[in-house]
Amino acid sequence: MKRWRSVILNTIVMTAGFGTLTMMSVAKPDVIAHFGISSDAFDLQHIAYVFGLFVAFLLGHTKIYEGSFKRSVAIALSWAAIPQLLIPYAPNWYVAVFLRFIQGFVVTLVPLFSTQIARYFVAERPFAKGIILSGIFWGGVFGSMSAKYLIHAFGWKGGFLVTVLIMYAVLLIWWLFTEDFEIIHEKGEAKINVWKLKFTWVLGFTFFPALWVIFTIVGFSASIAYDMGWTKTHVATLSTNLNIAKAIWSIVFGYIGYLLSRKNPTSRGLFKAIVQVMIISYALSFVGLIIYAKAMLSGNYTMTLAAVWLVGTIQGTGPAFWTSAPATYPKSIYPKASFALGLISNTANIVAPSVTELLAKQSVGLAFGELAFMPLLGILTLIAVSRMKMPVEELGE
């Protein structure tokens, strides 16, 4: 019971922290008026946030996340909370953009919780991780919905401050009911550099196509929808449904991963289950993206809204991917391996939106084709990594 309580508490922390992902967008008119900036300048904050998601994984190779697990989580959540407190009082827009970059570091909660879950579960890891990762998308829904009410009640500055209080209130509850442990990087790991292992690069790249779609589809779809004359309500409904779909599929595929993992809880058995879950997820999302593209290009809103639920299956890759390090690396290095895998996969955050936008200028159909190709690339990469020898098999426990 204590293990699953931790899973629920972790999910709530994720939801609170990732509420910052969408709250700024809801406050866009107020922020633009306050700082006296253009709409294009406003978009810099999103670019900065996404770049922060990438850079965040470098922190796993520093002393910041060694020692107390509870302290590490408090630091990770503070990357979101403290900038949220300071943004309303930033002296100029570029300082606010830098603070948004820092907020991206909140994603370090993901590998930290992966390390904790690896201590509590074996076959159940994908299911537990699926529930926790759903917090990212519940956070998107929470940020959008709460922002409307908080900004109306307290103004955009007051709304930001209230969310800071919410984040630290959630952290306090989590802290009181969570067991601490030491995140230790053993001295022996100095002989093993995860970056020099070919397996690390190939495994990290298996999640790259998923993140390419996840961090591109919402903004790209909104732009196309507005060009077709759809209303703000239409666009908001699509975004909300996609976030809910990704949250639910994260849990569903996590459970499927559990069912497959319990059949053979050895390292190779767990890894086989991870690969199977990711391939199924990619295959379904490929179909979803084809239908979604057809619906968007034809201006069929009803079909588009239905298709987002199938597109959301791409998040089913997440729970499996984030349980891969404990299954495939020796115990002494899998915490750092988690950060390395996150860094490699999150390079998609930097290039995907820009590449898709450039392709869309040539042809919207071409851009949709690029997005639909990504799940196929993911499947090919998974087939390749499944034939490789795992570090735990080469180096031992």
Side-chain angles (χ1 to χ4, degrees), residues 213 217 221 230 237-239 241-243 245-246 249 284-298 300-314 368:
V213 175
I217 192 73
S221 297
W230 291 357
T237 302
L238 278 177
S239 177
N241 274 265
L242 184 57
N243 273 321
K246 287 187 284 190
W249 283 118
L284 289 174
S285 63
F286 170 73
V287 175
L289 285 163
I290 294 296
I291 298 172
Y292 187 76
K294 179 178 174 61
M296 287 287 287
L297 291 171
S298 64
N300 188 329
Y301 180 75
T302 302
M303 184 184 291
T304 301
L305 188 59
V308 298
W309 285 87
L310 199 52
V311 172
T313 58
I314 199 163
F368 273 119

Side-chain angles (χ1 to χ4, degrees), residues 212-245:
W212 185 290
V213 175
I214 289 169
F215 282 99
T216 304
I217 192 73
V218 175
F220 175 65
S221 297
S223 177
I224 302 302
Y226 283 129
D227 288 343
M228 291 190 302
W230 291 357
T231 67
K232 186 176 180 180
T233 300
H234 284 131
V235 174
T237 302
L238 278 177
S239 177
T240 300
N241 274 265
L242 184 57
N243 273 321
I244 294 174

Side-chain angles (χ1 to χ4, degrees), residues 178-351:
T178 299
E179 181 181 328
D180 200 12
F181 63 90
E182 293 292 304
I183 300 176
I184 302 173
H185 300 304
E186 298 175 11
K187 293 181 179 179
E189 73 171 288
K191 301 175 183 177
I192 307 170
N193 187 335
V194 294
W195 293 103
K196 291 183 178 180
L197 300 175
K198 183 180 178 181
F199 183 87
T200 299
W201 291 94
V202 180
L203 180 59
F205 197 70
T206 61
F207 196 42
F208 176 95
L211 291 179
W212 185 290
V213 175
I214 289 169
F215 282 99
T216 304
I217 192 73
V218 175
F220 175 65
S221 297
S223 177
I224 302 302
Y226 283 129
D227 288 343
M228 291 190 302
W230 291 357
T231 67
K232 186 176 180 180
T233 300
H234 284 131
V235 174
T237 302
L238 278 177
S239 177
T240 300
N241 274 265
L242 184 57
N243 273 321
I244 294 174
K246 287 187 284 190
I248 291 174
W249 283 118
S250 181
I251 297 171
V252 170
F253 274 93
Y255 186 69
I256 293 172
Y258 158 64
L259 294 178
L260 294 173
S261 296
R262 68 179 182 179
K263 294 178 181 179
N264 184 4
T266 64
S267 293
R268 177 53 67 173
L270 293 173
F271 186 51
K272 182 180 178 181
I274 287 167
V275 171
Q276 289 175 335
V277 168
M278 292 184 74
I279 288 177
I280 294 170
S281 174
Y282 273 135
L284 289 174
S285 63
F286 170 73
V287 175
L289 285 163
I290 294 296
I291 298 172
Y292 187 76
K294 179 178 174 61
M296 287 287 287
L297 291 171
S298 64
N300 188 329
Y301 180 75
T302 302
M303 184 184 291
T304 301
L305 188 59
V308 298
W309 285 87
L310 199 52
V311 172
T313 58
I314 199 163
Q315 174 54 28
T317 57
F321 177 78
W322 284 111
T323 55
S324 61
T328 57
Y329 287 83
K331 291 180 181 178
S332 62
I333 62 171
Y334 79 70
K336 278 196 173 182
S338 289
F339 279 96
L341 295 172
L343 185 66
I344 294 167
S345 58
N346 273 266
T347 53
N349 303 353
I350 302 174
V351 296

